[in-house]
């Protein structure tokens, strides 16, 4: 009997030793496996936290003007921009030990295992970190393989990121129903407010939705939503975040729901937004996916007031039954920031962006660029040439060229450069172009930022080579800012989904033009609104002179198929084009005035609350004198019309006008009138 007992004891001990050895081996294996998993996780490094998010577009005052439309509404916000109530409610209901565990709550795991023993997974034990891992990298199926991968990603997240980073990522990616992801989008959708503005009852209600958005959304079932809210408020009280009395009061509070998609509205400035997206691709070299899903915050140059003024004038000025199209670009000349852009009359019918894509003949709006080149070559506002019917003959076998003035009107005499510009004399322009050499205008246009291909022909002086509206707006900006080089800019800053600045517009102080000549050109361009320069025709800005209330400089232009007006104040430069898409001739008188009227009314609206500024002369390099605008000579006291005109220093006229002298004075120049020497004798020092 004792022998049998001893044998059983030995056998038991043998099995026990074997079990202990196997257990130790197993534990060692598990330890090695765990160490291996940890080492592998460390080698892989931090998993990326980026998820598809809507890219947001903002105007120059920070107002939201648009977003990428990819079906999922996500907006990333930092924890400091989330109501503390929401953070506390989420932790209370989802993972009350979040800040104490290492990614796994073993007590909850054990409880869930007992509850689901022998069954498929139906009761969750996932921590916030585990849920975040699932949201980022995995499908939401309930399988053991998915749970193992979830555990691995949980380890990687906990090893690589702080608890605050994990929590921030979680509340920005969790699903709140109705195709809304993240707390900012949810707050906007359900309550029409920012996540930072959520009240306690609102926060508690939202925190209950992720458990089952199709069940607990207040827009699906108010009863179940309120029941879930009450559970969360009690949990917050149990965990010491709020008092029980506060929880009871919050549960009774009635809530008002929004139920609209975040930022759902009519698209603002759609042509402008298209231009911004194109700039993100071509200038910042971002790919399509990053632009659409990268959660970028794009801060643009758009002035909402100016944009609304531009769109209003398109509606007010252009007859609804007209098929004519139009485009507008308005820029800040000091930095090239595009403040307003309209690419057509109806984006939904035609998204073709005429402001940027259309290539149209600029007509006489090209002349200021030609005449700037002439100023650099020694021309002045008082330079004269004959305006008369002219046929140009060429020695190189080129065909004769006969340009015409509007309505075939000519001075049939000498006119000044200032008059030629104000009256838009074509003969003067072609003569200047050929005198300077046809390459001069081509090269000068490049200095003004015009990249459209131009033809080396005599008619180039009259704007027969196509350009883009935005190119012309930018070109005139160089006049308005005194010659500083600028380029059209749509974006001032871009941030990634984490708020890191990935692009910021830099200033450029390079000069493209000579300040003196640029200012003289600006002063001449004010002449289209000055009746003192009327001659054989009226100044080209006469039709809108009654509509403007501040100093402007500008130039109109027209061809058979195109109508233009480009002008500026010191604060704003705007180019407007009108015409038919297929190059149909503009025949109706009213349609020929659309560009000018849109420009004038827009400028007045856009600058209404801005101070009235005059064009400031450079500190040196120019001089202003009174001249007789009919001949460009220094004005005498007898000249009936005098105009204060600027010249590049050293090029101002030295001869006085004698056309209006009293003939009796001329005949008796040797006598003193009223005991005084005549003024013209003092000036010219005529001898006996």
């Amino acid at each position: 009997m004792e022998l049998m007992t001893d044998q059983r004891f030995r056998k038991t001990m043998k099995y026990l030793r074997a079990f202990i050895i196997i257990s130790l081996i197993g534990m060692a294996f598990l330890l090695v496996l765990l160490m291996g998993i940890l080492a592998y996780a460390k080698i892989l490094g931090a998993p990326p936290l980026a998820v598809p998010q809507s890219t947001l577009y903002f105007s120059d005052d920070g107002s939201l003007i648009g977003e990428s439309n990819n079906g999922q509404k996500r907006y990333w916000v930092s924890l400091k921009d989330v109501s503390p109530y929401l953070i506390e409610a989420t932790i209370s209901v989802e993972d009350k030990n979040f800040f104490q565990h290492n990614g796994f709550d073993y007590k909850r795991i054990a409880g869930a295992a007992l509850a689901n023993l022998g069954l498929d997974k139906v009761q969750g034990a996932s921590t916030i970190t585990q849920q975040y891992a699932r949201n980022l990298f995995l499908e939401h199926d309930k399988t053991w393989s998915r749970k193992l991968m979830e555990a691995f990603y949980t380890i990687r997240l906990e090893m690589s990121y702080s608890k605050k980073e994990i929590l921030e990522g979680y509340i920005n990616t969790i699903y709140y129903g109705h195709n809304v992801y993240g707390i900012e989008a949810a707050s906007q959708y359900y309550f029409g407010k920012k996540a930072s503005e959520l009240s306690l009852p609102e926060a508690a209600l939202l925190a209950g939705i992720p458990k089952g958005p199709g069940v607990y959304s207040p827009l699906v079932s108010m009863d179940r939503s309120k029941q879930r809210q009450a559970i969360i408020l009690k949990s917050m009280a149990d965990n010491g975040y709020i008092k029980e009395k506060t929880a009871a009061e919050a549960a009774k509070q009635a809530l008002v729901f929004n139920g609209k998609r975040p930022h759902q509205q009519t698209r603002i400035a759609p042509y402008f937004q298209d231009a911004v997206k194109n700039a993100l691709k071509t200038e910042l070299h971002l790919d399509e996916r990053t632009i659409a899903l990268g959660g970028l915050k794009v801060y643009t140059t758009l002035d909402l007031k100016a944009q609304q003024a531009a769109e209003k004038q398109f509606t007010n000025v252009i007859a609804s039954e007209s098929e004519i199209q139009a485009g507008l670009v308005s820029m800040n000349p000091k930095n090239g920031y595009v403040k307003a852009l309209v690419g057509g009359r109806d984006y939904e019918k035609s998204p073709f962006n005429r402001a940027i894509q259309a290539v149209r003949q600029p007509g006489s709006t090209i002349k200021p660029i030609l005449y700037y080149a002439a100023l650099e070559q020694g021309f002045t506002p008082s330079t004269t040439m004959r305006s008369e019917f002219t046929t140009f003959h060429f020695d190189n076998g080129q065909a004769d060229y006969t340009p015409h003035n509007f309505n075939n009107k000519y001075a049939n005499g000498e006119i000044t450069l200032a008059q030629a510009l104000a009256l838009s004399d074509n003969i003067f322009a072609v003569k200047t172009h050929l005198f300077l050499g046809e390459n001069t205008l081509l090269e000068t246009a490049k200095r003004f930022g015009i990249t459209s291909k131009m033809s080396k022909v005599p008619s180039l002086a009259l704007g027969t080579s196509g350009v883009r509206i935005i190119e012309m707006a930018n070109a005139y900006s160089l006049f308005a800012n005194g010659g500083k080089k600028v380029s059209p800019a749509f974006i001032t800053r871009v941030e990634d989904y984490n708020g890191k600045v990935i692009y910021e517009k830099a200033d450029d102080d390079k000069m493209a033009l000579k300040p003196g000549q640029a200012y003289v050109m600006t002063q001449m361009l004010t002449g289209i609104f000055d009746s003192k320069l009327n001659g054989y025709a009226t100044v080209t800005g006469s039709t809108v002179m009654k509509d403007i209330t501040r100093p402007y400089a500008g130039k109109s232009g027209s061809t058979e198929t195109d109508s233009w007006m480009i002008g500026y104040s010191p604060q704003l430069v705007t180019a407007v084009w009108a015409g038919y898409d297929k190059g149909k001739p503009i025949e109706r008188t009213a349609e020929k005035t659309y560009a000018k009227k849109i420009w004038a009314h827009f400028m007045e609206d856009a600058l209404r609350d801005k101070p009235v500024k005059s064009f400031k002369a450079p500190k040196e390099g120019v001089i202003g004198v009174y001249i007789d605008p009919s001949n460009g000579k220094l004005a005498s006291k007898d000249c009936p019309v005098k105009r204060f005109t600027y010249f590049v220093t050293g090029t101002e006229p030295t001869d006085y006008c004698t056309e209006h002298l009293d003939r009796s004075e001329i005949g008796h120049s040797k006598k003193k009138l009223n005991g005084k020497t005549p003024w013209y004798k003092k000036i010219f020092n005529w001898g006996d």
Side-chain angles (χ1 to χ4, degrees):
M1 185 71 177
E2 291 180 0
L3 181 59
M4 289 181 63
T5 301
D6 185 55
Q7 287 177 343
R8 287 176 181 174
F9 176 75
R10 290 177 183 176
K11 190 174 183 180
T12 300
M13 291 301 296
K14 180 179 179 181
Y15 287 136
L16 180 60
R17 283 195 299 271
F19 175 76
I20 292 173
I21 292 172
I22 292 172
S23 297
L24 290 174
I25 293 173
M27 291 176 64
F29 175 77
L30 290 174
L31 182 61
V32 171
L33 179 62
L34 179 60
M35 294 298 291
I37 291 172
L38 293 175
Y40 183 52
K42 190 69 174 177
I43 292 171
L44 290 177
L49 300 185
V51 295
Q53 299 174 46
S54 298
T55 288
L56 302 180
Y57 298 90
F58 300 91
S59 64
D60 63 355
D61 65 355
S63 299
L64 185 79
I65 60 172
E67 61 181 314
S68 58
N69 184 15
N70 56 66
Q72 296 181 358
K73 302 304 175 189
R74 302 178 187 258
Y75 314 103
W76 194 282
V77 290
S78 63
L79 284 180
K80 66 181 178 60
D81 294 321
V82 178
S83 168
Y85 292 131
L86 186 283
I87 295 173
E88 293 164 356
T90 300
I91 292 174
S92 288
V93 71
E94 296 292 344
D95 189 358
K96 67 179 183 180
N97 297 318
F98 172 70
F99 287 103
Q100 283 74 51
H101 62 63
N102 61 356
F104 303 95
D105 190 331
Y106 301 106
K107 186 176 180 181
R108 289 179 65 186
I109 292 173
L114 290 173
N116 296 290
L117 188 61
L119 301 174
D120 289 336
K121 294 290 179 186
V122 293
Q123 178 177 325
S126 297
T127 62
I128 283 177
T129 310
Q130 288 174 282
Q131 292 181 58
Y132 187 30
R134 183 165 65 244
N135 293 338
L136 283 175
F137 310 113
L138 303 168
E139 299 296 328
H140 286 245
D141 56 324
K142 294 184 177 182
T143 63
W144 287 106
S145 60
R146 193 270 294 164
K147 291 296 290 183
L148 290 173
M149 288 301 297
E150 177 185 299
F152 181 62
Y153 277 113
T154 298
I155 292 170
R156 292 182 64 191
L157 287 172
E158 288 282 343
M159 289 177 66
S160 305
Y161 298 101
S162 69
K163 286 290 187 178
K164 286 186 177 181
E165 288 175 318
I166 293 170
L167 181 60
E168 180 178 302
Y170 172 77
I171 64 172
N172 277 291
T173 56
I174 199 70
Y175 183 52
Y176 286 90
H178 305 282
N179 216 25
V180 173
Y181 292 78
I183 187 55
E184 181 67 16
S187 181
Q188 294 282 356
Y189 179 75
Y190 286 103
F191 297 111
K193 60 174 63 176
K194 296 179 180 179
S196 59
E197 300 169 347
L198 289 170
S199 65
L200 172 60
E202 291 169 339
L205 187 139
L206 287 183
I209 294 175
K211 178 178 176 63
V215 177
Y216 297 113
S217 164
L219 304 181
V220 174
S221 172
M222 181 61 71
D223 289 341
R224 287 193 293 264
S225 179
K226 291 294 290 182
Q227 290 171 10
R228 179 76 173 154
Q229 177 200 47
I231 292 172
I232 292 170
L233 288 168
K234 183 179 184 305
S235 175
M236 293 176 71
D238 292 343
N239 289 313
Y241 289 117
I242 59 175
K243 295 180 180 179
E244 289 186 2
K245 180 181 178 181
T246 303
E249 291 173 350
K252 295 177 182 178
Q253 187 171 328
L255 300 178
V256 177
F257 297 98
N258 179 42
K260 295 180 181 178
R261 292 218 170 277
H263 317 123
Q264 187 176 28
Q265 55 186 311
T266 302
R267 194 175 176 196
I268 297 172
Y271 292 104
F272 179 89
Q273 290 195 47
D274 282 355
V276 171
K277 292 173 185 176
N278 186 63
L280 290 172
K281 287 190 290 186
T282 60
E283 297 175 23
L284 277 64
H285 308 293
L286 300 178
D287 59 75
E288 295 273 5
R289 178 174 174 79
T290 300
I291 294 170
L293 305 173
L296 305 176
K297 290 183 178 179
V298 183
Y299 296 89
T300 75
T301 59
L302 185 73
D303 182 323
L304 283 174
K305 178 187 173 185
Q307 181 67 27
Q308 290 164 1
E311 293 173 356
K312 181 179 74 173
Q313 294 310 323
F314 272 52
T315 301
N316 290 351
V317 172
I318 302 175
S320 58
E321 68 273 10
S322 175
E323 295 180 358
I324 205 167
Q325 275 293 349
L328 176 149
V329 175
S330 188
M331 297 169 56
N332 181 338
K334 295 179 181 178
N335 50 29
Y337 288 5
V338 177
K339 310 310 292 182
L341 184 146
V342 183
R345 294 174 62 188
D346 190 330
Y347 183 85
E348 296 302 322
K349 291 181 179 178
S350 174
F352 177 67
N353 197 337
R354 295 158 189 83
I356 295 177
Q357 296 173 282
V359 178
R360 308 295 301 222
Q361 292 181 341
S364 292
T365 60
I366 201 70
K367 290 175 181 175
I369 298 173
L370 169 68
Y371 291 145
Y372 173 81
L375 292 178
E376 287 195 332
Q377 297 298 319
F379 280 54
T380 79
S382 292
T383 297
T384 58
M385 290 187 190
R386 286 189 65 81
S387 167
E388 59 189 357
F389 180 87
T390 305
T391 297
F392 294 89
H393 306 284
F394 304 94
D395 296 333
N396 59 2
Q398 186 175 343
D400 292 349
Y401 176 54
T402 306
H404 299 275
N405 278 350
F406 179 70
N407 285 339
N408 285 310
K409 289 185 177 181
Y410 306 91
N412 292 316
E414 300 282 329
I415 63 171
T416 66
L417 173 55
Q419 279 183 307
L421 187 61
L423 305 177
S424 204
D425 190 276
N426 289 338
I427 308 304
F428 198 111
V430 175
K431 285 182 176 180
T432 303
H433 178 48
L434 296 176
F435 177 83
L436 297 176
E438 292 173 313
N439 276 326
T440 301
L441 180 52
L442 291 172
E443 295 304 316
T444 305
K446 293 177 183 177
R447 290 171 60 189
F448 278 82
I450 295 175
T451 58
S452 295
K453 185 177 180 181
M454 290 183 163
S455 300
K456 182 181 174 182
V457 293
S459 63
L460 181 61
L462 308 183
T464 55
S465 285
V467 294
R468 293 174 171 83
I469 301 173
I470 196 166
E471 289 180 310
M472 295 303 290
N474 187 70
Y476 276 58
S477 292
L478 274 62
F479 290 136
N481 68 28
K484 179 184 173 183
K485 182 179 181 180
V486 293
S487 298
F490 294 92
I491 302 168
T492 58
R493 188 173 82 255
V494 179
E495 297 176 1
D496 67 12
Y497 72 97
N498 274 326
K500 179 183 177 182
V501 177
I502 60 174
Y503 169 81
E504 193 152 20
K505 181 78 168 63
D507 292 331
D508 189 350
D509 293 326
K510 294 180 181 178
M511 298 297 292
L513 310 179
K514 296 179 180 179
Q517 281 83 348
Y519 184 72
V520 170
M521 197 68 241
T522 285
Q523 287 299 316
M524 282 200 289
L525 286 170
T526 64
I528 78 162
F529 306 112
D530 189 349
S531 58
K532 292 178 181 178
L533 289 169
N534 285 341
Y536 66 86
T538 57
V539 292
T540 56
S542 60
T543 55
V544 294
M545 283 167 56
K546 67 181 185 304
D547 298 320
I548 59 178
T549 61
R550 61 176 69 213
Y552 294 111
K555 186 73 186 78
S556 61
S558 61
T559 68
E560 186 182 27
T561 58
D562 301 277
S563 176
W564 292 74
M565 180 64 207
I566 311 174
Y568 53 93
S569 71
Q571 304 106 307
L572 197 66
V573 57
T574 302
V576 181
W577 163 87
Y580 291 93
D581 282 338
K582 295 183 179 180
K584 173 185 171 182
I586 304 174
E587 297 175 343
R588 297 179 182 178
T589 302
E591 292 180 341
K592 294 178 181 179
T593 67
Y594 285 164
K596 287 181 183 178
K597 288 182 177 179
I598 290 172
W599 177 86
H601 293 301
F602 165 75
M603 291 294 283
E604 289 292 303
D605 279 357
L607 295 171
R608 193 173 306 281
D609 298 327
K610 302 290 192 300
V612 176
K613 291 187 177 182
S614 57
F615 297 103
K616 188 177 180 181
K619 294 181 179 179
E620 56 184 24
V622 297
I623 185 171
V625 296
Y626 280 101
I627 66 168
D628 184 325
S630 66
N631 56 33
K633 295 181 179 181
L634 292 170
S636 73
K637 67 175 183 178
D638 295 306
C639 290
V641 180
K642 305 178 184 70
R643 189 171 195 267
F644 194 71
T645 304
Y646 277 90
F647 295 80
V648 174
T649 302
T651 68
E652 66 274 15
T654 56
D655 292 336
Y656 277 79
C657 172
T658 59
E659 293 181 12
H660 309 100
L661 293 178
D662 188 325
R663 294 301 171 186
S664 64
E665 286 191 14
I666 297 176
H668 301 85
S669 61
K670 294 182 180 181
K671 298 180 180 180
K672 292 184 178 181
L673 301 179
N674 298 322
K676 296 181 181 179
T677 303
W679 66 268
Y680 58 85
K681 190 168 185 179
K682 291 180 181 179
I683 295 172
F684 294 105
N685 194 26
W686 288 344
D688 293 337

